[in-house]
Amino acid sequence: MLSLRNMVMKILRTLCMPNLMVKPPNGEAAVLPTVRRDAEANLAPPVAEMISPLSSDPQPVEGDLIEFEVKGPSEDGDAEEYDKNDDLAVPLKPLSREFIHQNFPVPSDILEIDTSTFDTQAVIKKYGYKFDDTPNVPKRRALLIGLKGTTLKGSYGDVDDMKALLKDIYGFQDEEVMVLKDENPGSILYPTRQVVVDHLFILAHSPREGDRLFILFAGHGAQIEDLDGDEADGLDEVICCADGKIIVDDQLHDIIVKPLPKGCRLTAVFDCCSSETGLDLVQARPSASPHLSALDLQFNATFASGALDLPHSFTSESNGVPKHSDGEVVLWSACLDNADSHEILIDGGKYKGAMSHAFVQSIRQSTRQSYGELLESIKQSFKRWHVPQVPQLTSSHKLDQNDLFTV
């Protein structure tokens, strides 16, 4: 019998033909279902994930754009179960702890990070940054990370587009934006895990009320077995660095979310697979109207029938200790935790991450949008481009969908 992972890969090889594209009716962009932002080159890919071998004959725009879904192990444990009716009406079955342990191994080289002893001033000096940290004056600071690895093509463009957006619309200066790309292995800024961790600490260094922080991660994401009990689905989300090593969502939370004080705002965009709860933000369940959180903002049934029934996976506690931040943190993520994100080919032959491109284009078209309006605009872009993924919005606090979005 083939293992679940091997069968998934067999399906991908069989159905995802190289350079297969789907041209939406208006020709605006094409989704490349073979260019996924997961960590296949670094880790075992998620097994309960959305797989999208779109045919050359696009499905109707108002129909279900996902051809089938791998549900996980069947009752006998030897084969997958498929969404044969293509309606996504049945939520994913929980994976057993034994199955997760066997198929989502935790790497042996997880980095131990002590946030209380990390010398951020030393790493600022190491990289030669000259920030204007005038006491009692709110600051702007951004970290933009673009990793192509061996499979992605649009990550550098995503970083460039996001930097231009921050400068043009939100007043960021060049010296306030840190950029990491995996284009030069000899550079001191080559985004190995340690370099990325260093810059995460720099991003959140000496936070104060009024600070405006921003982070983009455009690259590969994946899942591993959860070891501290804060994930209802038993899986932690991770981002992958240029040296093939990972940073776990718990660590991201501890470095850039937990230390933020009241009145400090962090806006995050994660354009990678398995990104829904990439920062382990506590407002990940529906809240009373007019407030919203992740489940309130998933696609409606005209795009992916049944998506509203998918359970959220984060419990907000680690080893019984609630996760908390006094800051205002919002994460715009490309897809559900168990799903893939995709790249698109736009007019002019350039590749873009679908989430990054939709986020940037929507804001450039209208700089005054509420959180709900911006998310809806991103959804509509995905539908128009035939991108088979569900954008997510989670936060560290109750978020009124009518509030005006800003960085």
Side-chain angles (χ1 to χ4, degrees):
M1 289 286 184
L2 289 174
S3 69
L4 178 60
R5 180 187 175 192
N6 288 340
M7 291 189 72
V8 170
M9 298 310 298
K10 181 179 179 181
I11 294 167
L12 284 171
R13 286 192 296 268
T14 302
L15 297 176
C16 292
M17 300 176 64
N19 299 319
L20 183 65
M21 296 186 295
V22 174
K23 279 285 187 182
N26 60 8
E28 178 180 348
V31 62
L32 301 178
T34 57
V35 184
R36 300 177 295 130
R37 292 193 162 186
D38 65 15
E40 182 179 318
N42 307 86
L43 298 167
V47 291
E49 63 182 2
M50 294 181 184
I51 298 176
S52 312
L54 303 180
S55 67
S56 58
D57 182 13
Q59 300 178 51
V61 172
E62 294 301 321
D64 177 7
L65 301 181
I66 301 174
E67 296 224 351
F68 67 84
E69 182 183 38
V70 174
K71 294 292 187 182
S74 64
E75 295 297 329
D76 60 12
D78 291 329
E80 295 91 349
E81 293 180 354
Y82 300 103
D83 179 16
K84 295 181 179 179
N85 295 326
D86 197 24
D87 58 7
L88 296 181
V90 182
L92 296 172
K93 294 181 179 180
L95 300 176
S96 70
R97 174 61 65 180
E98 179 182 1
F99 182 86
I100 289 173
H101 184 70
Q102 292 175 351
N103 291 272
F104 295 86
V106 177
S108 60
D109 60 349
I110 294 290
L111 184 65
E112 294 293 331
I113 301 174
D114 186 347
T115 58
S116 65
T117 61
F118 192 90
D119 191 347
T120 307
Q121 288 286 11
V123 295
I124 291 175
K125 182 177 180 180
K126 171 184 175 181
Y127 297 107
Y129 291 118
K130 304 293 184 182
F131 298 119
D132 181 7
D133 283 342
T134 304
N136 302 318
V137 176
K139 65 177 177 289
R140 290 183 297 251
R141 189 166 298 169
L143 172 59
L144 310 179
I145 307 171
L147 288 90
K148 285 187 176 181
T150 59
T151 58
L152 301 180
K153 299 181 179 180
S155 300
Y156 298 169
D158 296 339
V159 165
D160 296 340
D161 291 347
M162 198 68 73
K163 182 176 180 179
L165 181 78
L166 293 176
K167 293 173 62 178
D168 295 346
I169 306 299
Y170 300 108
F172 279 66
Q173 304 300 308
D174 282 324
E175 60 271 18
E176 297 173 324
V177 182
M178 301 176 289
V179 172
L180 303 178
K181 298 179 181 178
D182 60 345
E183 55 188 348
N184 181 6
S187 170
I188 191 175
L189 297 177
Y190 187 68
T192 63
R193 178 172 61 188
Q194 189 59 62
V195 170
V196 174
V197 168
D198 289 348
H199 281 76
L200 293 171
F201 275 101
I202 295 172
L203 176 66
H205 180 55
S206 297
R208 66 196 72 160
E209 183 178 358
D211 282 359
R212 297 295 177 257
L213 311 178
F214 187 94
I215 181 172
L216 165 69
F217 179 81
H220 288 300
Q223 292 178 298
I224 62 172
E225 181 181 6
D226 169 42
L227 298 180
D228 66 357
D230 69 335
E231 303 280 356
D233 61 359
L235 296 167
D236 270 325
E237 286 65 53
V238 304
I239 60 172
C240 302
C241 302
D243 53 359
K245 298 179 180 180
I246 64 171
I247 302 173
V248 185
D249 54 3
D250 303 287
Q251 298 172 322
L252 292 168
H253 181 95
D254 288 345
I255 299 172
I256 64 173
V257 176
K258 184 177 179 179
L260 302 186
K262 183 178 180 180
C264 177
R265 177 182 298 157
L266 169 65
T267 303
V269 178
F270 276 23
D271 195 351
C272 60
C273 296
S274 304
S275 53
E276 175 187 8
T277 60
L279 290 180
D280 280 356
L281 302 179
V282 296
Q283 284 296 320
R285 299 181 185 278
S287 52
S289 178
H291 298 107
L292 55 86
S293 54
L295 283 178
D296 301 299
L297 297 174
Q298 292 177 358
F299 274 164
N300 58 39
T302 61
F303 180 69
S305 175
L308 289 170
D309 297 326
L310 293 178
H312 205 282
S313 64
F314 179 60
T315 65
S316 82
E317 290 193 359
S318 176
N319 291 321
V321 179
K323 291 191 173 182
H324 173 74
S325 174
D326 289 326
E328 302 170 8
V329 184
V330 171
L331 170 62
W332 301 85
S333 47
C335 60
L336 294 161
D337 281 342
N338 62 346
D340 292 333
S341 63
H342 296 75
E343 292 190 322
I344 59 173
L345 180 63
I346 65 172
D347 290 342
K350 293 183 179 180
Y351 293 85
K352 304 286 186 181
M355 181 65 192
S356 300
H357 191 57
F359 184 86
V360 169
Q361 291 302 305
S362 178
I363 293 174
R364 285 200 175 276
Q365 290 168 9
S366 176
T367 59
R368 292 185 58 83
Q369 298 184 72
S370 68
Y371 283 90
E373 289 170 339
L374 178 55
L375 188 79
E376 181 60 29
S377 177
I378 294 171
K379 290 180 184 180
Q380 294 303 318
S381 292
F382 282 11
K383 290 175 67 174
R384 191 166 63 250
W385 302 335
H386 288 201
V387 177
Q389 63 198 63
V390 184
Q392 299 294 302
L393 175 59
T394 56
S395 68
S396 62
H397 57 290
K398 283 190 175 181
L399 192 63
D400 189 329
Q401 63 180 324
N402 297 315
D403 281 350
L404 186 68
F405 169 75
T406 188
V407 169

